Amino acid sequence: MKKSVLKKAGAVVLLVAMLVGLAGCGGSDQAKLYVYNWGDYIDESVLAEFEKANNVDVIYEQFATNEEMYVKIKAGTAKYDVAIPSDYMITKMIHEGLLHTINMKAIPNYAKIDDRFKNLAFDPNNEYTVPYMWGTVGIIYNKTMVDGVVDSWDVLWDKKYAKQILMLDSQRDSIAVALKKLGYSLNSRDEKELEEAKQLLIQQKPLLMAYVGDEVKDKMIGNEAAMAVVWSGDAVFMKGENPDLEYVIPKEGSNIWYDAMVIPKTSQNKEMAEKFIDFMCSTDVAYKNADYIGYSTPQKEVRAMLPDDLTSDPAYYPAEGELKGSEVFEDLSDVLPIYDRIWTEVKSQ
């Protein structure tokens, strides 16, 4: 599953070269396409399909965080043709002139992307991005260990569940939870609001079992904790492994995130990059990726192919009403030192 901590925090960067055919076929003159993606965020069999269909070598590299990806592309030393950053990082990259516009006439399968995922705030004119996946952050809880209705972030501060609560070891996500509990925007730049969020997290600290990463899945599946803050795709996986688990998007709202395909200015093969993006939007390929990853696809034909128990599951495809009050992360580079300080102070308690 992708959006484990492999998406959000430190993981080893892997470099996987997917080669077509046997040695000698195509040779050193064969075209290459450099793709930069989150860890465990594609069915890698589709890369071989694209290679065979286009007589190209796909050089596939993975990153662990948006920031890691940004630094390498900003440096300009790597020649990535396609990357898959998140919403707030896309905004930053557009503003800094790091992305090519995409020739949408070369992406006929773009018509298969649901309109609700177009004209989003980070790319209002659909010039730079083609949507890939989306999801939410919420609470997964064990129905045999938690009493009553879980519908608010407040439950994460309930002393009744002391030492049974898991929080994400992720600065942006955990501060966002505190901000939403307080009724503030998760993109707050207000130092007073951020100080309140810090104090709330410090107040919560004695109630926590731990701040966790990828291990949250094993702990919740194994009934080691009563509840945890998780990304929706991980929730889908955990629910499949333990029927006592349920996922909810709290009523105060949460983070709704979008990842999209872009063409960095480092690209040396823009035409092939556009072919790859179109290929990724085709129904059979988009279905394979959605099935492998466990996250929600913006491709409308794929959604129609999925079983009803998935499309009706709020962990997979939340209804519009369940997203009330939810926000997309914005680029907060201007106040990042404040967030860094707050997180250091919380973790040091």
Side-chain angles (χ1 to χ4, degrees), residues 229-284:
V229 177
V230 296
W231 293 288
S232 53
D234 283 348
V236 171
F237 172 72
M238 287 183 266
K239 288 175 63 177
E241 298 293 313
N242 184 339
D244 291 328
L245 299 179
E246 192 54 83
Y247 177 81
V248 64
I249 301 169
K251 61 186 179 184
E252 298 93 344
S254 184
N255 171 228
I256 178 170
W257 55 264
Y258 304 95
D259 292 337
M261 294 175 281
V262 302
I263 302 177
K265 288 280 184 72
T266 57
S267 174
Q268 298 182 15
N269 199 344
K270 185 172 183 284
E271 184 177 340
M272 189 64 73
E274 288 168 343
K275 283 186 178 181
F276 181 79
I277 291 172
D278 186 59
F279 168 81
M280 292 284 279
C281 294
S282 64
T283 301
D284 58 338

